[in-house]
């Protein structure tokens, strides 16, 4: 029996993908999550998952942050990113940060099943049209990704507000926390990223092209 986790905030897509996969994998058990926090909860409760099918843009995921964080916490779990975007730059980063496959949402059920089978056998999978276009990320980016993985979701939100140029009191207002708590988060961010000021932290956020985390509904 195989156990898959579909992490996507669109119920209709989850249901459609679950139905398609159930027809391809006999005795399949599918778990579902709709945001980053619920994904982490399922991952902590289900130790025998065979693969995570991860949507980059679900609430709380913060695009690449979710992948980076999960890869760090569950290094042996195969992750396939399932996305509506086929931007080569994003695909390159996704593969560079530890995904074993990138599956466009426009893929047929046969292609999705083939991709999953290949990943479960220990290989990586990309659509044919992307295989020769994807570039390897540099070692510096990998080091930065490891540092970003150490940030909590709340610290990551603060980092993104720093990137947007918000003052401490504005960040406090947006996150409904005190300025003292914001300052504590910033101190922790600097320590974890190995930087000494806001400018350096913002440069790291910009380099990874990270997007703001949307709060889970």
């Amino acid at each position: 029996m195989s156990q898959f986790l579909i992490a996507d905030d669109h119920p209709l897509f989850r249901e459609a993908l679950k139905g398609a996969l159930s027809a391809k994998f006999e005795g399949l058990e599918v778990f579902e999550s709709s945001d980053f926090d619920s994904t982490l909860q399922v991952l902590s409760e289900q130790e025998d998952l065979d693969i995570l099918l991860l949507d980059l843009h679900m609430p709380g995921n913060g695009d690449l942050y979710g992948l980076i964080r999960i890869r760090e916490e569950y290094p042996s779990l195969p992750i396939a990113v399932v996305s509506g975007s086929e931007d080569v730059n994003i695909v390159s980063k996704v593969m560079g940060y530890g995904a074993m496959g990138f599956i466009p949402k426009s893929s047929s059920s046969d292609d999705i099943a083939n991709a999953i089978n290949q990943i479960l056998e220990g290989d990586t999978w990309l659509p044919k049209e992307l295989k020769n276009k994807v570039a390897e990320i540099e070692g510096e980016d990998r080091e930065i990704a490891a540092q970003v993985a150490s940030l909590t979701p709340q610290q990551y939100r603060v980092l993104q507000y720093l990137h947007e140029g918000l003052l401490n009191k504005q960040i406090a207002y947006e996150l409904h926390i005190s300025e003292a708590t914001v300052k504590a988060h910033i101190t922790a961010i600097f320590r974890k990223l190995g930087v000494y000021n806001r400018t350096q932290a913002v440069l790291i956020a910009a380099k990874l092209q990270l997007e703001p985390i949307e709060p889970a509904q």
Side-chain angles (χ1 to χ4, degrees), residues 19 27-28 40-41 43-44 58 73 89 98 117 134 144 160 168:
L28 176 64
L40 290 181
Q41 181 175 347
L43 290 173
S44 69
M58 66 182 180
E73 292 192 22
N89 182 53
N117 277 321
V134 171
I144 289 173
Q160 291 314 297
N168 286 4

Side-chain angles (χ1 to χ4, degrees), residues 147 187 189-198 200-201 204:
Q147 293 170 324
T187 298
I189 290 168
F190 288 178
R191 175 175 51 80
K192 290 180 177 182
L193 296 184
V195 300
Y196 301 98
N197 56 53
R198 290 182 178 231
Q200 292 175 323
I204 287 179

Side-chain angles (χ1 to χ4, degrees), residues 10 18 50 56 59 84 106 117 145 156 160 177 184 199 203-204 214:
H10 294 94
K18 179 179 179 180
D50 294 291
L56 289 178
S106 58
N117 277 321
Y156 178 78
Q160 291 314 297
I177 57 179
T199 299
L203 287 174
I204 287 179
E214 295 296 332

Side-chain angles (χ1 to χ4, degrees), residues 62-63 148 151 154-168 170-171 175 182 186 189-190 193 197-213:
D63 291 345
V148 169
L151 300 178
Q154 189 78 320
Q155 289 168 355
Y156 178 78
R157 293 186 184 99
V158 172
L159 174 61
Q160 291 314 297
Y161 283 128
L162 291 177
H163 185 217
E164 294 172 16
L166 271 63
L167 301 174
N168 286 4
Q170 294 172 312
I171 297 174
L175 296 179
V182 172
I186 291 174
I189 290 168
F190 288 178
L193 296 184
N197 56 53
R198 290 182 178 231
T199 299
Q200 292 175 323
V202 166
L203 287 174
I204 287 179
K207 187 173 181 64
L208 288 178
Q209 299 180 358
L210 302 175
E211 298 292 337
I213 286 181

Side-chain angles (χ1 to χ4, degrees), residues 16-32:
L17 183 56
K18 179 179 179 180
L21 294 177
S22 296
K24 301 289 184 182
F25 295 88
E26 185 176 354
L28 176 64
E29 184 175 10
V30 176
F31 298 91
E32 300 179 38

